[in-house]
Amino acid sequence: GDSVTQMEGPVTLSEEAFLTINCTYTATGYPSLFWYVQYPGEGLQLLLKATKADDKGSNKGFEATYRKETTSFHLEKGSVQVSDSAVYFCALSGEAGTALIFGKGTTLSVSS
Amino acid sequence: DVKVTQSSRYLVKRTGEKVFLECVQDMDHENMFWYRQDPGLGLRLIYFSYDVKMKEKGDIPEGYSVSREKKERFSLILESASTNQTSMYLCASTIEDLTDQPQHFGDGTRLSIL
């Protein structure tokens, strides 16, 4: 079945460092891909999405490109801030009307 | 903006109790979902519903049931709570049959079973 694998954390960075969180997927068909962020004590919020190959999703300085050839959707940010500390989830859409399939999440901790 | 509201942020119950977790969305979404979130396991789907009075089992439905009597409300029921059901529970909703649309989440209910 479809699945998502993302790098295990925690990821610990200093402020202004470059961030990459790896995400690869296995899917039949052509899923849409998502990154969600969960700040402490809150639910998940959509960070960005891409719906077809070579699409780049971007938001709040974060970017991810849908790479069909490598089945990847890595999250990047050029300069992280303390406020980016959160748990990040990669997800893909299954069949229409069904739930998203999530990775296990990666905890990011940014220190000043 | 879509608003998904879960009735409680924190809940403490005792083993054997029947527990109700409520979720309401305000965007007329057809699909609603219940997940539980545990450290190291990510989000696991318990049940989802694609229409009023319709439900489908997810990956871990054992020990849970759901109710969807109205389109905007999706309830998760722990029939007889056990300590291994201590977890964060997240409700989500999305529009029907568009796989490029995101799910919208509530803030979660942190449930402790003593």
Side-chain angles (χ1 to χ4, degrees), chain A residues 87-100:
Chain A
V87 183
Y88 292 82
F89 291 91
C90 184
L92 65 81
S93 60
E95 296 178 3
T98 62
L100 293 180

Side-chain angles (χ1 to χ4, degrees), chain A residues 30-32 34 36 38 41-46 49 51 87 89 93-105, chain B residues 9-10 31 33 35 37 40-43 45 48 50 88 90 94 96-108:
Chain A
Y30 304 96
S32 294
F34 305 86
Y36 281 82
Q38 184 181 34
E42 297 183 11
L44 276 68
Q45 303 174 23
L46 178 68
K49 70 175 186 180
T51 58
V87 183
F89 291 91
S93 60
E95 296 178 3
T98 62
L100 293 180
I101 296 167
F102 286 89
K104 292 187 177 181
Chain B
R9 292 297 301 274
Y10 302 94
N31 299 326
F33 309 86
Y35 297 88
Q37 181 182 8
L41 298 177
L43 273 70
L45 181 66
F48 67 98
Y50 52 88
M88 169 73 94
L90 293 166
T94 192
E96 180 185 24
D97 283 345
L98 293 176
T99 58
D100 63 342
Q101 295 301 308
Q103 291 182 359
H104 300 270
F105 283 83
D107 284 338

Side-chain angles (χ1 to χ4, degrees), chain B:
Chain B
D1 273 358
V2 176
K3 183 74 173 173
V4 178
T5 303
Q6 294 184 231
S7 54
S8 304
R9 292 297 301 274
Y10 302 94
L11 208 52
V12 179
K13 297 291 182 180
R14 298 206 172 273
T15 55
E17 281 192 66
K18 191 170 186 176
V19 180
F20 293 85
L21 303 184
E22 306 287 347
C23 175
V24 176
Q25 50 93 4
D26 67 356
M27 282 301 292
D28 205 36
H29 284 170
E30 289 80 9
N31 299 326
M32 296 187 74
F33 309 86
W34 275 106
Y35 297 88
R36 63 177 283 176
Q37 181 182 8
D38 299 288
L41 298 177
L43 273 70
R44 293 181 290 169
L45 181 66
I46 305 171
Y47 268 97
F48 67 98
S49 169
Y50 52 88
D51 202 352
V52 174
K53 297 190 184 297
M54 306 302 288
K55 61 184 179 184
E56 293 284 343
K57 292 181 179 179
D59 300 319
I60 51 165
E62 297 78 18
Y64 303 94
S65 63
V66 289
S67 173
R68 192 157 181 211
E69 296 296 319
K70 293 184 178 181
K71 192 174 186 180
E72 67 271 18
R73 185 180 297 271
F74 191 36
S75 303
L76 179 69
I77 304 157
L78 285 65
E79 298 290 345
S80 177
S82 64
T83 55
N84 63 11
Q85 292 177 310
T86 291
S87 187
M88 169 73 94
Y89 290 87
L90 293 166
C91 175
S93 72
T94 192
I95 199 166
E96 180 185 24
D97 283 345
L98 293 176
T99 58
D100 63 342
Q101 295 301 308
Q103 291 182 359
H104 300 270
F105 283 83
D107 284 338
T109 297
R110 188 165 292 282
L111 175 64
S112 296
I113 306 296
L114 304 179

Side-chain angles (χ1 to χ4, degrees), chain A residues 37-97:
Chain A
V37 59
Q38 184 181 34
Y39 298 105
E42 297 183 11
L44 276 68
Q45 303 174 23
L46 178 68
L47 181 60
L48 53 84
K49 70 175 186 180
T51 58
K52 61 183 187 297
D54 299 325
D55 266 3
K56 178 186 283 188
S58 61
N59 186 25
K60 299 181 181 180
F62 291 89
E63 292 183 342
T65 301
Y66 189 163
R67 302 284 188 201
K68 194 170 188 302
E69 65 276 12
T70 55
T71 62
S72 65
F73 192 54
H74 304 321
L75 183 69
E76 296 182 337
K77 187 175 185 182
S79 175
V80 294
Q81 305 300 311
V82 172
S83 57
D84 293 328
S85 298
V87 183
Y88 292 82
F89 291 91
C90 184
L92 65 81
S93 60
E95 296 178 3

Side-chain angles (χ1 to χ4, degrees), chain A residues 1-15:
Chain A
D2 296 355
S3 66
V4 174
T5 303
Q6 59 182 106
M7 61 186 289
E8 293 190 17
V11 174
T12 304
L13 295 173
S14 298
E15 208 165 23

